[in-house]
Amino acid sequence: MRRTSNRTEPRLVAVAGAVLGALVASGCAAMPDSGGITKVELSQGSADKNLQARVFPVAPTKGAKPRELLTGFLDAVTADEGYETARKYLTEHAAATWNPDAGIQVLSATQIAPDQVVNDKDTEYSETVSGQLLATVDEKRSYVMVAGQNNNKVLDFTFTREDGEWRIAQLPAGVIMNETNFRNSFRQVERFFYTAPDPSVPGSGPGGQEVLVADPIYLRRRIDPLTAAANALVAGPSHWLAPVVRTAFPGGTTVDKVAIDDSRVAHVQLRGPDLGDATACRRMATQLYYTFADQGKGQIDRLELKGQGGSCTASRNDDQAVGPGALAGRVPPQQYYQRADTGALMVADEGRSGDPVPGVLGKPHANGTPQLGTVAVSRDGSQAAALSDDGHQLYTVPLAAGTTAMPEPVLSSPVKAGAKDEGLASPTWDGRGDLWVVDRNPQAPRVVLVRGGKTYGVPVEGLLAGQTVQAVKISSDGARIALVVKSAGVSGSSLEFGLVEHGGTPGAPTARIISVRPGAPSLTDVTSVSWTETDQLLVLGKEADRPQQLYYISTDGSQSTDSQLQTGNGLPSSPQSISSAESRGYLLAQPWPVLAVAGGTVYRLVSNQWREAQLVDKARSYFYVG
């Protein structure tokens, strides 16, 4: 689910009207790497009302030289009318074999090597296109960031004469675009898949409940986007997400037709699956409905699915228990804070002071009880995880009036006294009732799962030598996890995304974190992370030689805004931590305010302005559930 407010989608606006007019008049509006077209940051909330520059393809002219053909081809692949015109730049054989859907290479700029002399007697010619490779989009439309600073890519094009005209005979697989044209031509949307079953939990209750997980992809903005989304959905999940999700669509399913009527009902006709099974049909329709609703901007109220043997419908009111974010917590989300003077855990809603939570955590710290540090409340609000202030012990404490004393710790870390950067850190709850925590003991660093009062080590596969996990944040569905990672000998920390694969039995559960990949390669230090939507993380961090910022990071690693949210705009100093709410209740509902503590005062981020929360108490932390 993409952010629907407080978010600026990449928008390209032609401020030099005469230049754009000339481009359109000549049949093309692709964005050059330099010149009179300027990218303008639009105010949040109005971005979706602004159109990108439309791109109209131009066929090659008679007698065109190779360099002219190459620039024309690179413009034609950005066109809003498919790739038919682009194929006219190719030889007959190349046009028949070139597969533009094989993937996209996104370059910072598409620089063509200096022109060479082409003689009339020449029968073959070569050109190169180069640029820094920023990302790739694979055949399943999944966006993958490229880490590192020196990723110069040189791509070769070979030209031959065909019927007296130069044409491209050999070219790289897929499509090449500079970043500006890619953002103009493509947009990020979400398709949704069901969480894979966990064999270590019973089928009933939140632990065994399946929910939909977002899988971000990039599709053409203006070439039948709903049909493209439906085709991408039935083709299955991304290579990265596939190990932890399942789809209701059997192999071989294809989309025959997609239409939307005046009653805001989407109609989808499938080929392949037997829709006579009402349950199977409904599961497919639910996946399609949420995939369409995500990009439909509220234009779709219901989906009707038809195919061989039957039909069914789906809407957001049908089965909210499986919808995206169904395990994220109550709506509106509850806000909590710890009093700086007494350590008591307080519950507060918008616009009112706090009340102590029921039980021992709502009482002032007493002599003889452990001084508490970080606290995290479970998604259902029934219990809390609390670390001792020195990071040695982890407690799970019911938030109930009958809890009058601190229980025994469920986990201890044998770190040295006073080692604040070691020991236990970042307790975090998924929506299934599992607790996750990091033990930063330098002798045996590990991630730990706590379930039913028992602890289980969780191996992290894919870390490089010398890397250790410093903090984690689990998504409400329990399938994805954000990791803050430190590398030996390197200052700062990086953001990584991983998948959680469950196994074992109810008596001996297992879990491991797999498929770890960079979350935001440009960030050189990460202070705090929080899930803000089912597919998006809010990150407090910084890039090299830049001040601390707030970033919205998609699970594919891409930044979801053109401009980062300033940590100023009302804050007296940089926040020590941030918290955002994953729960929405409705796909397009407004996001809840971001919470932060800075200089001992609590703040809410509303419309990109920090406003001091009207609390009587000084707070050491301020957070949502999870």
Side-chain angles (χ1 to χ4, degrees):
M1 247 182 314
R2 292 173 280 79
R3 173 163 289 272
T4 54
S5 69
N6 289 340
R7 168 193 174 146
T8 307
E9 276 195 323
R11 292 293 188 257
L12 300 167
V13 180
V15 296
V19 174
L20 182 59
L23 286 168
V24 173
S26 67
C28 177
M31 296 300 164
D33 292 330
S34 62
I37 303 299
T38 304
K39 185 169 69 173
V40 178
E41 308 294 351
L42 301 181
S43 61
Q44 296 176 9
S46 65
D48 288 336
K49 301 175 183 177
N50 293 274
L51 298 177
Q52 297 73 36
R54 289 192 64 87
V55 180
F56 300 93
V58 177
T61 59
K62 185 176 180 60
K65 301 295 186 182
R67 187 181 184 89
E68 182 183 345
L69 287 172
L70 182 55
T71 57
F73 174 76
L74 294 177
D75 285 343
V77 297
T78 70
D80 294 323
E81 299 177 12
Y83 297 105
E84 291 310 306
T85 300
R87 292 184 191 277
K88 296 179 180 179
Y89 288 82
L90 310 181
T91 64
E92 184 177 350
H93 176 73
T97 58
W98 174 58
N99 178 17
D101 294 324
I104 304 171
Q105 298 183 72
V106 183
L107 308 180
S108 58
T110 47
Q111 302 292 339
I112 300 177
D115 200 7
Q116 304 175 40
V117 177
V118 182
N119 297 316
D120 292 339
K121 296 181 179 180
D122 290 337
T123 58
E124 188 172 290
Y125 185 84
S126 296
E127 287 273 17
T128 61
V129 175
S130 62
Q132 289 292 317
L133 183 63
L134 303 179
T136 61
V137 179
D138 67 18
E139 78 284 358
K140 287 203 166 188
R141 310 292 189 267
S142 299
Y143 185 92
V144 180
M145 298 284 291
V146 176
Q149 301 297 319
N150 299 310
N151 298 302
N152 191 60
K153 192 82 172 178
V154 179
L155 302 153
D156 297 319
F157 289 77
T158 301
F159 301 77
T160 61
R161 292 186 187 270
E162 188 173 77
D163 298 329
E165 296 289 338
W166 286 105
R167 289 294 182 265
I168 300 171
Q170 296 179 359
L171 69 165
V175 170
I176 302 165
M177 285 191 185
N178 64 47
E179 185 181 21
T180 302
N181 285 339
F182 176 74
R183 296 294 181 184
N184 181 54
S185 300
F186 288 81
R187 66 186 289 251
Q188 188 191 70
V189 301
E190 314 297 345
R191 54 186 174 183
F192 292 91
F193 299 93
Y194 295 100
T195 48
D198 180 355
S200 66
V201 299
S204 60
Q209 179 182 333
E210 67 174 6
V211 293
L212 289 172
V213 179
D215 190 14
I217 54 175
Y218 276 82
L219 299 177
R220 287 279 190 174
R221 289 183 181 274
R222 293 170 288 272
I223 303 179
D224 198 359
L226 289 182
T227 300
N231 282 320
L233 176 65
V234 301
S238 62
H239 298 300
W240 182 71
L241 191 64
V244 298
V245 295
R246 298 292 182 268
T247 183
F249 297 94
T253 300
T254 59
V255 178
D256 186 35
K257 184 170 60 175
V258 175
I260 301 177
D261 64 24
D262 293 338
S263 300
R264 300 160 66 98
V265 178
H267 301 269
V268 180
Q269 183 85 29
L270 295 183
R271 290 182 182 176
D274 182 1
L275 301 187
D277 184 326
T279 299
C281 183
R282 184 68 166 275
R283 284 168 55 80
M284 287 184 262
T286 299
Q287 282 185 256
L288 279 164
Y289 169 75
Y290 281 105
T291 297
F292 282 11
D294 174 69
Q295 61 172 311
K297 304 295 182 187
Q299 300 174 26
I300 299 172
D301 292 333
R302 187 166 58 90
L303 181 137
E304 182 178 277
L305 179 63
K306 293 182 178 180
Q308 178 183 340
S311 65
C312 59
T313 63
S315 73
R316 72 183 180 94
N317 296 320
D318 290 342
D319 194 358
Q320 298 183 23
V322 303
L327 299 178
R330 54 163 278 188
V331 178
Q334 193 68 68
Q335 300 173 5
Y336 297 86
Y337 66 92
Q338 287 173 277
R339 288 185 56 165
D341 52 356
T342 67
L345 180 62
M346 314 292 287
V347 57
D349 289 314
E350 286 282 347
R352 61 182 295 268
S353 298
D355 296 318
V357 299
V360 65
L361 291 184
K363 300 182 182 302
H365 174 258
N367 292 333
T369 62
Q371 185 76 33
L372 298 181
T374 304
V375 175
V377 176
S378 64
R379 301 277 181 170
D380 63 3
S382 66
Q383 57 183 326
L387 297 180
S388 59
D389 192 51
D390 58 10
H392 282 246
Q393 284 85 34
L394 169 68
Y395 304 86
T396 56
V397 188
L399 299 183
T403 307
T404 58
M406 288 293 291
E408 291 297 314
V410 296
L411 179 65
S412 297
S413 177
V415 297
K416 294 182 293 185
K420 295 289 288 184
D421 293 334
E422 301 176 4
L424 304 174
S426 69
T428 174
W429 298 87
D430 62 30
R432 305 176 185 278
D434 288 338
L435 172 64
W436 303 75
V437 68
V438 173
D439 186 353
R440 300 172 297 173
N441 175 12
Q443 305 305 315
R446 57 180 178 154
V447 176
V448 179
L449 164 66
V450 182
R451 178 186 291 177
K454 297 181 179 180
T455 61
Y456 306 90
V458 180
V460 182
E461 301 178 4
L463 292 180
L464 302 177
Q467 288 187 321
T468 56
V469 178
Q470 301 297 299
V472 294
K473 198 71 173 180
I474 189 76
S475 62
S476 64
D477 52 60
R480 299 155 301 157
I481 190 167
L483 306 99
V484 178
V485 173
K486 188 172 181 61
S487 300
V490 178
S491 62
S493 55
S494 61
L495 176 67
E496 310 278 338
F497 284 108
L499 302 176
V500 178
E501 190 174 66
H502 291 278
T505 65
T510 63
R512 61 186 183 130
I513 298 173
I514 62 172
S515 303
V516 173
R517 66 179 184 181
S522 63
L523 298 185
T524 58
D525 196 23
V526 175
T527 301
S528 182
V529 298
S530 181
W531 288 92
T532 186
E533 294 190 19
T534 59
D535 69 313
Q536 212 170 71
L537 207 68
L538 181 61
V539 179
L540 177 62
K542 59 175 295 187
E543 298 178 347
D545 303 320
R546 293 190 178 184
Q548 193 180 60
Q549 306 277 352
L550 289 174
Y551 301 82
Y552 287 105
I553 306 295
S554 173
T555 51
D556 63 11
S558 61
Q559 291 186 22
S560 299
T561 54
D562 278 325
S563 58
Q564 295 76 39
L565 301 174
Q566 298 290 330
T567 53
N569 292 348
L571 285 183
S573 61
S574 295
Q576 292 81 49
S577 64
I578 48 95
S579 181
S580 54
E582 189 181 339
S583 54
R584 284 290 185 275
Y586 172 44
L587 198 68
L588 301 177
Q590 294 293 314
W592 304 103
V594 176
L595 310 180
V597 177
T601 304
V602 295
Y603 294 86
R604 298 185 180 100
L605 182 64
V606 180
S607 300
N608 205 19
Q609 291 291 325
W610 289 104
R611 300 175 183 174
E612 184 176 341
Q614 301 303 309
L615 300 179
V616 175
D617 313 308
K618 288 284 186 180
R620 69 167 69 169
S621 63
Y622 192 31
F623 54 91
Y624 290 106
V625 297

